[in-house]
Amino acid sequence: PFRAWELMAGSLLAIHIREKFEKSRLGLVWLLVLVSSFFWITDSLPFPGLIAVVPVGCAVALLRGGNNGLVRWVMQHNATVFIGKISYSLYLFHWPLLVFSRYALYGYCSTVIINSIAVVLSFVFSIISWKYIELPLRRTKWPKMRYYVLGGGILAATLVLSVSTR
């Protein structure tokens, strides 16, 4: 729940822009800061924490105004678009795999190898999930009421599980 604001930032941006992007000359700056944050945000910094504002803010700024030149080319590249398509599955899989792989393999492999394996597995599971779960669900023609029932059921199950595990 403490990281919900990160998802909310993207959601608010999606509601705000509605297909109309602005062109900004700062797009390359936001892209460089975002990419460099992968290297300077280390285990010594409290992450997630206040420092998470930097990559989240850069991502929002890029999506809002990065519709120019090199940044546009990067964001419209087939690989980048595909990562965007599987991003929700990637969001769901990456963290558990990174965390549990460290517990399972710590002492057997270096952290770089463990993280590399976890990232590759995250992509593999995300592609499978996107192709065989997300796409079929998006293509079904369910009546709207079923979405509310399904969403309510998932919410109820989450609440029950969160209360019963304390």
Side-chain angles (χ1 to χ4, degrees):
F2 297 108
R3 297 187 73 184
W5 69 271
E6 295 172 8
L7 288 173
M8 188 59 67
S11 301
L12 291 173
L13 177 66
I15 291 168
H16 176 68
I17 59 177
R18 301 259 185 191
E19 300 294 325
K20 184 178 184 293
F21 297 97
E22 292 181 1
K23 291 184 178 181
S24 169
R25 298 193 189 282
L26 293 176
L28 189 57
V29 172
W30 299 126
L31 181 62
L32 291 174
V33 173
L34 179 64
V35 170
S36 68
S37 71
F38 287 109
F39 302 101
W40 60 265
I41 295 177
T42 63
D43 290 340
S44 64
L45 294 171
F47 192 88
L50 192 55
I51 196 70
V53 170
V54 174
V56 172
C58 286
V60 168
L62 264 175
L63 292 171
R64 177 79 170 108
N67 199 14
N68 241 357
L70 176 66
V71 175
R72 181 180 187 157
W73 180 84
V74 168
M75 292 178 69
Q76 290 181 344
H77 193 274
N78 289 341
T80 311
V81 170
F82 183 72
I83 290 171
K85 288 180 179 180
I86 66 167
S87 64
Y88 184 69
S89 294
L90 200 54
Y91 171 76
L92 292 176
F93 284 110
H94 85 283
W95 196 246
L97 285 170
L98 283 168
V99 171
F100 292 131
S101 63
R102 278 194 183 176
Y103 284 118
L105 299 174
Y106 190 72
Y108 297 104
C109 301
S110 75
T111 306
V112 173
I113 293 172
I114 293 170
N115 288 346
S116 299
I117 291 169
V119 167
V120 168
L121 286 175
S122 296
F123 272 91
V124 169
F125 291 151
S126 297
I127 292 167
I128 292 168
S129 172
W130 172 74
K131 185 172 183 176
Y132 296 107
I133 297 172
E134 284 184 53
L135 285 180
L137 281 174
R138 287 182 187 168
R139 291 181 183 142
T140 59
K141 301 292 183 203
W142 286 6
K144 283 188 178 184
M145 190 61 185
R146 287 191 183 177
Y147 287 113
Y148 294 119
V149 171
L150 180 63
I154 291 170
L155 179 62
T158 303
L159 290 173
V160 167
L161 290 172
S162 68
V163 170
S164 66
T165 57
R166 289 185 180 185

